[in-house]
Amino acid sequence: MKHPAIHGLYAITDPALIRDRQLLPAAEAALRGGARLLQYRDKTATPAQRRHRAAQLQALCRQHDALFLVNDDPALAADIDADGVHIGQSDGGIARARRLLGPGKIIGVTCHSDLALAEQAAAAGADYVAFGRFFPSRTKPLAPPADPVILDQARQQLTIPLVAIGGINSDNGGQLLERGADALAVIHALFSAPAPDQVERAAQQLSALFNAV
Protein backbone atom coordinates (compact mmCIF):
# COMPACT_ATOMS: atom_id res chain seq x y z
CA MET A 1 0.00 0.00 0.00
CA LYS A 2 1.18 3.51 -0.74
CA HIS A 3 1.55 5.43 2.50
CA PRO A 4 -0.02 8.84 1.83
CA ALA A 5 1.93 10.58 4.58
CA ILE A 6 5.32 9.91 2.97
CA HIS A 7 5.26 12.97 0.78
CA GLY A 8 7.02 16.29 0.75
CA LEU A 9 10.19 17.68 2.26
CA TYR A 10 11.93 15.16 4.51
CA ALA A 11 14.39 16.92 6.84
CA ILE A 12 17.22 14.90 8.41
CA THR A 13 19.23 16.26 11.30
CA ASP A 14 23.02 16.07 11.42
CA PRO A 15 25.01 16.76 14.61
CA ALA A 16 27.94 17.99 12.52
CA LEU A 17 25.74 20.85 11.29
CA ILE A 18 23.43 21.40 14.27
CA ARG A 19 24.98 21.70 17.73
CA ASP A 20 23.07 20.74 20.87
CA ARG A 21 21.32 24.02 21.59
CA GLN A 22 20.64 24.65 17.91
CA LEU A 23 18.84 21.35 17.34
CA LEU A 24 15.32 22.34 18.38
CA PRO A 25 15.34 25.85 16.84
CA ALA A 26 16.73 24.50 13.57
CA ALA A 27 14.25 21.61 13.46
CA GLU A 28 11.33 23.90 14.24
CA ALA A 29 12.44 26.27 11.50
CA ALA A 30 12.46 23.41 8.99
CA LEU A 31 8.96 22.41 10.08
CA ARG A 32 7.71 25.99 9.85
CA GLY A 33 9.17 26.11 6.36
CA GLY A 34 7.12 23.13 5.28
CA ALA A 35 8.99 19.93 6.15
CA ARG A 36 6.45 17.11 6.43
CA LEU A 37 8.84 14.53 7.88
CA LEU A 38 11.75 14.87 10.27
CA GLN A 39 14.35 12.21 10.94
CA TYR A 40 16.60 12.34 13.98
CA ARG A 41 20.04 11.15 12.91
CA ASP A 42 22.85 11.28 15.49
CA LYS A 43 25.50 8.59 15.82
CA THR A 44 27.66 10.48 18.32
CA ALA A 45 25.39 11.26 21.30
CA THR A 46 25.01 9.03 24.35
CA PRO A 47 21.88 6.86 24.65
CA ALA A 48 20.46 9.22 27.27
CA GLN A 49 21.09 12.26 25.07
CA ARG A 50 19.57 10.54 22.07
CA ARG A 51 16.42 9.63 23.97
CA HIS A 52 16.02 13.14 25.39
CA ARG A 53 16.53 14.82 22.03
CA ALA A 54 14.33 12.37 20.17
CA ALA A 55 11.48 12.93 22.62
CA GLN A 56 11.81 16.70 22.22
CA LEU A 57 11.83 16.46 18.45
CA GLN A 58 8.82 14.17 18.43
CA ALA A 59 6.84 16.65 20.52
CA LEU A 60 7.84 19.38 18.06
CA CYS A 61 6.70 17.32 15.07
CA ARG A 62 3.34 16.68 16.68
CA GLN A 63 2.87 20.41 17.17
CA HIS A 64 3.47 20.90 13.45
CA ASP A 65 1.48 17.85 12.30
CA ALA A 66 4.60 16.26 10.80
CA LEU A 67 5.93 12.72 11.01
CA PHE A 68 8.92 11.93 13.23
CA LEU A 69 11.29 9.07 12.48
CA VAL A 70 14.45 7.84 14.20
CA ASN A 71 17.51 6.81 12.23
CA ASP A 72 18.85 3.25 12.65
CA ASP A 73 17.35 2.64 16.11
CA PRO A 74 13.96 0.91 16.17
CA ALA A 75 14.26 0.31 19.91
CA LEU A 76 14.51 4.04 20.57
CA ALA A 77 11.68 4.72 18.13
CA ALA A 78 9.51 2.21 19.99
CA ASP A 79 10.52 3.60 23.38
CA ILE A 80 9.36 7.13 22.63
CA ASP A 81 6.46 6.07 20.38
CA ALA A 82 7.90 7.74 17.29
CA ASP A 83 6.03 7.52 14.02
CA GLY A 84 8.66 5.19 12.65
CA VAL A 85 12.26 4.36 11.89
CA HIS A 86 14.62 4.54 8.96
CA ILE A 87 17.08 1.66 8.67
CA GLY A 88 20.03 0.84 6.44
CA GLN A 89 21.03 -2.49 4.99
CA SER A 90 22.97 -3.46 8.13
CA ASP A 91 20.64 -2.28 10.91
CA GLY A 92 18.91 -5.49 11.92
CA GLY A 93 16.33 -5.83 9.20
CA ILE A 94 12.69 -5.02 8.66
CA ALA A 95 11.32 -7.99 10.61
CA ARG A 96 13.14 -6.97 13.80
CA ALA A 97 12.04 -3.35 13.41
CA ARG A 98 8.44 -4.44 12.89
CA ARG A 99 8.54 -6.63 16.00
CA LEU A 100 9.76 -3.68 18.06
CA LEU A 101 7.47 -1.06 16.54
CA GLY A 102 4.28 -2.92 15.82
CA PRO A 103 2.06 -2.87 12.74
CA GLY A 104 1.06 0.77 12.65
CA LYS A 105 4.49 2.39 12.43
CA ILE A 106 6.52 3.48 9.43
CA ILE A 107 9.66 1.62 8.38
CA GLY A 108 11.84 3.14 5.68
CA VAL A 109 14.82 1.38 4.15
CA THR A 110 17.94 2.63 2.38
CA CYS A 111 18.35 0.89 -0.97
CA HIS A 112 21.16 2.99 -2.51
CA SER A 113 20.78 2.46 -6.28
CA ASP A 114 19.63 -1.15 -6.16
CA LEU A 115 16.12 -1.85 -7.40
CA ALA A 116 16.34 -5.49 -6.29
CA LEU A 117 16.98 -4.37 -2.70
CA ALA A 118 13.97 -2.08 -2.95
CA GLU A 119 11.75 -4.88 -4.21
CA GLN A 120 12.93 -7.12 -1.37
CA ALA A 121 12.25 -4.36 1.17
CA ALA A 122 8.78 -3.77 -0.18
CA ALA A 123 8.01 -7.48 -0.06
CA ALA A 124 9.26 -7.62 3.54
CA GLY A 125 6.89 -4.85 4.60
CA ALA A 126 8.80 -1.59 4.21
CA ASP A 127 6.58 1.48 4.07
CA TYR A 128 8.98 3.40 1.83
CA VAL A 129 12.36 2.94 0.18
CA ALA A 130 15.10 5.53 -0.20
CA PHE A 131 17.41 5.82 -3.20
CA GLY A 132 20.57 7.89 -3.54
CA ARG A 133 22.91 9.64 -3.53
CA PHE A 134 21.76 11.40 -6.67
CA PHE A 135 24.17 14.35 -6.43
CA PRO A 136 27.50 14.98 -4.68
CA SER A 137 26.84 14.75 -0.95
CA ARG A 138 28.70 16.53 1.81
CA THR A 139 27.18 14.26 4.45
CA LYS A 140 28.21 11.02 2.72
CA PRO A 141 30.71 11.99 0.01
CA LEU A 142 31.81 8.39 -0.57
CA ALA A 143 28.30 6.97 -0.93
CA PRO A 144 27.80 5.23 -4.28
CA PRO A 145 26.06 7.41 -6.86
CA ALA A 146 22.57 6.67 -8.12
CA ASP A 147 21.24 7.44 -11.58
CA PRO A 148 17.86 9.23 -11.49
CA VAL A 149 16.55 6.65 -13.96
CA ILE A 150 16.18 4.27 -11.01
CA LEU A 151 13.23 6.38 -9.88
CA ASP A 152 11.51 5.76 -13.21
CA GLN A 153 12.13 2.03 -12.86
CA ALA A 154 11.02 1.92 -9.22
CA ARG A 155 7.86 3.87 -9.99
CA GLN A 156 6.90 1.15 -12.48
CA GLN A 157 7.73 -1.75 -10.14
CA LEU A 158 6.72 -0.54 -6.68
CA THR A 159 3.58 0.84 -5.08
CA ILE A 160 5.20 2.17 -1.89
CA PRO A 161 6.61 5.73 -1.71
CA LEU A 162 10.05 6.58 -3.04
CA VAL A 163 12.37 8.89 -1.13
CA ALA A 164 15.31 10.53 -2.89
CA ILE A 165 18.44 11.55 -0.98
CA GLY A 166 21.93 12.82 -1.56
CA GLY A 167 23.03 16.36 -2.38
CA ILE A 168 19.49 17.56 -3.02
CA ASN A 169 18.72 21.28 -3.04
CA SER A 170 16.10 23.61 -4.46
CA ASP A 171 17.92 23.75 -7.82
CA ASN A 172 18.13 20.03 -8.52
CA GLY A 173 15.29 18.45 -6.53
CA GLY A 174 12.57 19.14 -9.07
CA GLN A 175 13.96 16.70 -11.60
CA LEU A 176 13.74 13.88 -9.03
CA LEU A 177 10.10 14.69 -8.34
CA GLU A 178 9.38 14.60 -12.06
CA ARG A 179 10.86 11.10 -12.19
CA GLY A 180 8.58 9.85 -9.44
CA ALA A 181 10.10 10.65 -6.06
CA ASP A 182 7.43 11.21 -3.41
CA ALA A 183 9.73 12.87 -0.88
CA LEU A 184 13.07 14.67 -0.93
CA ALA A 185 15.36 13.92 2.00
CA VAL A 186 17.60 16.89 2.71
CA ILE A 187 20.36 17.51 5.23
CA HIS A 188 22.98 20.04 4.15
CA ALA A 189 20.81 22.29 2.00
CA LEU A 190 18.67 22.86 5.08
CA PHE A 191 20.82 22.64 8.17
CA SER A 192 24.01 24.23 6.92
CA ALA A 193 22.16 27.54 7.14
CA PRO A 194 23.61 29.49 10.09
CA ALA A 195 20.35 30.80 11.57
CA PRO A 196 16.80 29.47 12.01
CA ASP A 197 15.25 32.06 9.70
CA GLN A 198 17.58 30.90 6.92
CA VAL A 199 16.70 27.26 7.61
CA GLU A 200 13.04 28.19 7.33
CA ARG A 201 13.64 30.01 4.04
CA ALA A 202 15.53 27.02 2.63
CA ALA A 203 12.68 24.72 3.68
CA GLN A 204 10.16 26.99 1.98
CA GLN A 205 12.14 26.90 -1.27
CA LEU A 206 12.41 23.12 -1.15
CA SER A 207 8.75 22.67 -0.24
CA ALA A 208 7.74 24.86 -3.17
CA LEU A 209 9.15 22.24 -5.55
CA PHE A 210 6.23 19.95 -4.72
CA ASN A 211 3.76 22.56 -5.90
CA ALA A 212 5.41 22.75 -9.30
CA VAL A 213 5.12 19.05 -10.18
Side-chain angles (χ1 to χ4, degrees):
M1 287 291 291
K2 191 175 177 72
H3 199 299
I6 309 299
H7 180 80
L9 176 59
Y10 186 162
I12 303 178
T13 68
D14 183 346
L17 296 174
I18 315 168
R19 300 302 177 189
D20 296 350
R21 294 183 180 179
Q22 298 172 319
L23 179 60
L24 289 181
E28 185 166 23
L31 293 166
R32 282 199 311 267
R36 303 310 308 137
L37 305 96
L38 178 72
Q39 182 189 133
Y40 173 54
R41 180 179 180 273
D42 187 349
K43 300 178 185 294
T44 61
T46 67
Q49 288 172 327
R50 282 168 51 79
R51 191 190 188 287
H52 178 67
R53 293 168 186 169
Q56 289 182 308
L57 289 171
Q58 174 175 264
L60 199 58
C61 285
R62 287 183 173 169
Q63 292 173 20
H64 289 268
D65 195 26
L67 293 175
F68 177 66
L69 287 82
V70 174
N71 177 266
D72 288 355
D73 194 341
L76 173 58
D79 184 30
I80 65 163
D81 195 28
D83 294 299
V85 69
H86 181 90
I87 58 176
Q89 290 296 319
S90 59
D91 294 320
I94 295 169
R96 174 178 176 271
R98 185 62 72 197
R99 283 195 304 272
L100 288 166
L101 290 170
K105 300 297 185 177
I106 295 166
I107 298 176
V109 182
T110 295
C111 296
H112 305 295
S113 60
D114 192 325
L115 186 57
L117 285 178
E119 290 173 333
Q120 292 168 16
D127 295 287
Y128 73 81
V129 289
F131 293 107
R133 62 172 173 90
F134 287 103
F135 307 105
S137 168
R138 299 191 190 189
T139 304
K140 291 189 175 183
L142 301 180
D147 190 315
V149 73
I150 196 171
L151 294 170
D152 297 310
Q153 297 168 345
R155 189 76 293 152
Q156 294 176 1
Q157 298 294 327
L158 303 173
T159 58
I160 60 174
L162 311 178
V163 175
I165 191 170
I168 296 170
N169 56 42
S170 58
D171 294 324
N172 59 31
Q175 61 185 280
L176 302 178
L177 296 179
E178 291 171 358
R179 286 184 175 273
D182 295 284
L184 300 178
V186 180
I187 302 174
H188 200 273
L190 272 177
F191 294 122
S192 64
D197 63 324
Q198 292 167 294
V199 173
E200 183 176 356
R201 195 173 310 122
Q204 289 170 342
Q205 293 171 346
L206 285 155
S207 297
L209 297 177
F210 293 87
N211 299 325
V213 178

